[in-house]
Amino acid sequence: MATYDYDLFVIGGGSGGVRAGRLAGAMGKRVGLAEAYRMGGTCVIRGCVPKKLFVYASQFQEHFDAAAGYGWTVGKSTFDWPTLIANKDREIARLEGLYRKGLENSDVEIFESRAMLIDDHTIEILKTGKRVTADQILIAVGGHPSPHPSLPGNEFCISSNEAFHLDTLPKAIVIEGGGYIAVEFANIFHGLGVDTTLVYRGKEILSRFDQDLRHMLHAAMAEKGIHVRCTEIITRVERQDDGRKLVHLSGGDAIVADQVMLAIGRVPNTTSLGLEAAGVAVDETGAIKVDGYSRTSRENIWAVGDVTNRVQLTPVAIHEAMCFLETAFKNNPTKPDHALIATAVFSQPEIGTVGLTEQDAARTFKAVEVYRAVFRPMRNTLSGSTEKMLMKLIVDADSRKVVGAHILGPDAGEMAQLLAIPMKAGCTKEDFDRTMAVHPTAAEELVTMYKPTYRIVDGARID
Ligand code: NDP
């Protein structure tokens, strides 16, 4: 039997790679892990975590505004961008240290370098040229923001990567895209006082979400003063003599902004990885092809997370990594379960969602019941805010199962997480109905919507 330097070599130190490496090491496997940049990957270093810190930062003005209705007088408030960046960087460095420590505690050998496959069992550590061998290889190198190669002037634009490190807060920004990143950053920048324009090619932002959420969030963002321009694209970006950017839109307008941010999706990091040499196949998007167990076209090479064309979410990458360990090292073949993934968009107001949209449910089931409540959350009463909250449950009328839950409003992400449990367990609407409410909360609406607002039968709405 061939002997290798490692039982497992992991390429990529993000959420999926670190989890797999750490747990395999803890199982007593000999593990090597290569990471070219910083330990923690997109989520920790330039994604979910710093983004959420920015979201918190951007909410304070609304809190200050709301305080008066509750009797508070708040003095003149000012915001200092460099302070936020420095504090955020300190927190990210702390988390990065924890990731590294976890690997070290599991005796994982860390290579601070890019790594490349030479063949299906050999990896080259590019920094030193050293070659190592491994029985099993896990590719978990993630993705990067699409640079929008066809856009003239894209070299003057930033992505979310740079947004976390800008020297100065722009006075005006144009963001292209209508997905998670574009919408979240539009709200962040607006909340920090930046004149913000969101340019989206489709009819309504957040194309994969429930129509109700999309319309209500769009309206709320517009009400706050974010310029949301749908059915338009950026056609060209020019750099003016003063350094500001002139952004040409397909509708004919041109906007001057300090920064232009592209958030039009993320591309898997599969170039210069040696995939061809190792016999690992990619699909038409450049993502690594995997089977239901995350195994690539090579028996001993696996891939998890954003480098595969599945669901680009941190907890999904972690789950895929855990399933990989079961399959490859515990003799317990386990397929990742991608059904009913709860997700949040940290927009303002926030979105929390699990399961099918009303539109998808209507296509999937013969008869659907929609339970829908739109109301002003209690916290908005004394504050004077007119912002409304939406709660919506989608029920398959035959099985009675709750197949979709959609929330727009404060703490929607937290609620989606909890709703995912009964939904995963297959709870029916009647299970929701016999659950006692917690009063007074916004979430109590979820168990007190006793009558359907409308039904959809054979795709047609019946009020
Ligand atoms: P998304 O896939 O969410 O959105 C991409 C957006 O760009 C869509 O609105 C898409 O339009 C638009 N688009 C694509 N190509 C073009 C083009 N050529 N010109 C103009 N617009 C274009 O990607 P993001 O970059 O926002 O985020 C990447 C992934 O990261 C997400 O899919 C998500 O899984 C993850 N993420 C998750 C977060 C969370 O959990 N809160 C936060 C941030 C990211 P269309 O809809 O018409 O296709």
Side-chain angles (χ1 to χ4, degrees):
M1 203 178 107
T3 53
Y4 300 103
D5 301 327
Y6 299 100
D7 299 314
L8 170 67
F9 196 94
V10 182
I11 308 181
S15 301
V18 168
R19 177 64 62 98
R22 181 167 63 77
L23 294 190
M27 284 166 63
K29 302 291 174 194
R30 295 166 304 143
V31 183
L33 183 148
E35 167 57 52
Y37 186 52
R38 297 174 63 183
M39 209 59 79
T42 299
C43 173
V44 175
I45 305 298
R46 50 197 168 193
C48 323
V49 175
K51 180 275 308 288
K52 190 87 188 270
L53 296 174
F54 278 17
V55 170
Y56 288 133
S58 68
Q59 289 173 333
F60 279 93
Q61 188 58 56
E62 282 193 1
H63 294 325
F64 298 148
D65 294 343
Y70 286 93
W72 287 90
T73 302
V74 179
K76 185 174 170 344
S77 57
T78 57
F79 170 69
D80 186 52
W81 173 254
T83 300
L84 173 64
I85 298 290
N87 290 347
K88 177 265 295 175
D89 285 345
R90 206 173 37 247
E91 174 60 7
I92 300 308
R94 186 184 73 83
L95 293 173
E96 183 186 6
L98 291 178
Y99 269 67
R100 185 174 291 276
K101 206 167 180 3
L103 289 169
E104 287 166 357
N105 288 346
S106 295
D107 293 326
V108 174
E109 189 172 354
I110 298 172
F111 296 89
E112 291 176 5
S113 166
R114 276 188 70 87
M116 192 173 147
L117 296 169
I118 300 301
D119 60 39
D120 57 351
H121 285 287
T122 312
I123 304 109
E124 181 166 313
I125 310 298
L126 295 186
K127 206 180 204 174
T128 57
K130 181 179 175 182
R131 291 189 175 185
V132 298
T133 58
D135 182 16
Q136 305 293 314
I137 296 172
L138 178 68
I139 305 173
V141 292
H144 62 275
S146 165
H148 203 339
S150 61
L151 175 68
N154 66 0
E155 67 274 25
F156 304 126
C157 302
I158 62 167
S159 70
S160 52
N161 287 353
E162 293 77 32
F164 290 116
H165 297 285
L166 293 174
D167 290 338
T168 53
L169 183 65
K171 286 198 169 51
I173 191 164
V174 177
I175 301 175
E176 174 146 52
Y180 283 84
I181 296 179
V183 167
E184 290 181 343
F185 270 93
N187 284 278
I188 288 169
F189 281 117
H190 171 78
L192 296 177
V194 180
D195 182 14
T196 303
T197 304
L198 184 71
V199 180
Y200 172 52
R201 66 181 178 181
K203 285 203 184 108
E204 188 56 284
I205 56 172
L206 291 172
S207 57
R208 288 177 295 234
F209 287 78
D210 189 271
Q211 285 284 4
D212 257 333
L213 294 175
R214 300 167 65 188
H215 294 323
M216 277 186 67
L217 177 62
H218 180 155
M221 287 168 61
E223 176 73 24
K224 285 180 205 287
I226 300 173
H227 316 292
V228 184
R229 305 184 65 137
C230 292
T231 63
E232 283 197 278
I233 56 167
I234 300 177
T235 53
R236 187 159 44 100
V237 179
E238 292 171 289
R239 191 172 191 275
Q240 300 186 151
D241 291 343
D242 62 0
R244 301 188 86 198
K245 319 293 179 309
L246 185 61
V247 187
H248 297 270
L249 303 183
S250 50
D253 288 349
I255 305 171
V256 176
D258 303 286
Q259 296 290 354
V260 184
M261 179 173 152
L262 301 176
I264 63 162
R266 294 178 58 86
V267 186
N269 286 332
T270 44
T271 48
S272 316
L273 257 185
L275 296 178
E276 220 172 304
V280 174
V282 295
D283 69 13
E284 62 288 352
T285 67
I288 293 179
K289 281 189 190 170
V290 286
D291 68 9
Y293 297 93
S294 303
R295 192 191 298 266
T296 71
S297 47
R298 292 310 296 206
E299 178 79 13
N300 68 310
I301 304 184
W302 312 73
V304 296
D306 290 4
V307 77
T308 64
N309 192 0
R310 292 181 283 184
V311 184
Q312 294 179 334
L313 294 171
T314 299
V316 174
I318 292 172
H319 172 65
E320 288 167 358
M322 308 276 280
C323 293
F324 150 73
L325 290 176
E326 291 291 325
T327 306
F329 291 114
K330 296 189 184 172
N331 201 20
N332 176 29
T334 306
K335 286 186 182 179
D337 175 3
H338 291 106
L340 284 172
I341 298 170
T343 180
V345 182
F346 294 101
S347 46
Q348 299 168 41
E350 192 170 300
I351 281 179
T353 184
V354 198
L356 297 178
T357 64
E358 176 187 325
Q359 297 71 40
D360 286 341
R363 278 190 288 270
T364 308
F365 302 108
K366 184 173 170 45
V368 169
E369 291 177 355
V370 177
Y371 298 77
R372 184 179 184 278
V374 176
F375 58 96
R376 198 173 172 197
M378 198 184 209
R379 68 156 75 173
N380 287 353
T381 52
L382 298 196
S383 76
S385 166
T386 55
E387 205 163 276
K388 294 274 197 330
M389 186 153 192
L390 168 75
M391 301 227 173
K392 191 169 167 183
L393 294 178
I394 315 291
V395 176
D396 166 23
D398 287 337
S399 70
R400 305 301 304 150
K401 280 187 183 167
V402 178
V403 294
H406 308 283
I407 302 166
L408 178 80
D411 305 319
E414 308 284 344
M415 290 182 219
Q417 177 64 88
L418 298 178
L419 277 170
I421 302 168
M423 287 174 63
K424 200 82 189 158
C427 284
T428 62
K429 180 64 172 61
E430 285 62 40
D431 293 320
F432 278 59
D433 290 349
R434 60 195 176 80
T435 301
M436 200 66 78
V438 179
H439 185 71
T441 62
E444 67 183 300
E445 285 295 326
L446 293 166
V447 295
T448 54
M449 293 189 284
Y450 299 115
K451 289 229 157 60
T453 313
Y454 52 92
R455 293 182 171 80
I456 302 171
V457 179
D458 293 327
R461 176 169 164 163
I462 300 168
D463 286 298

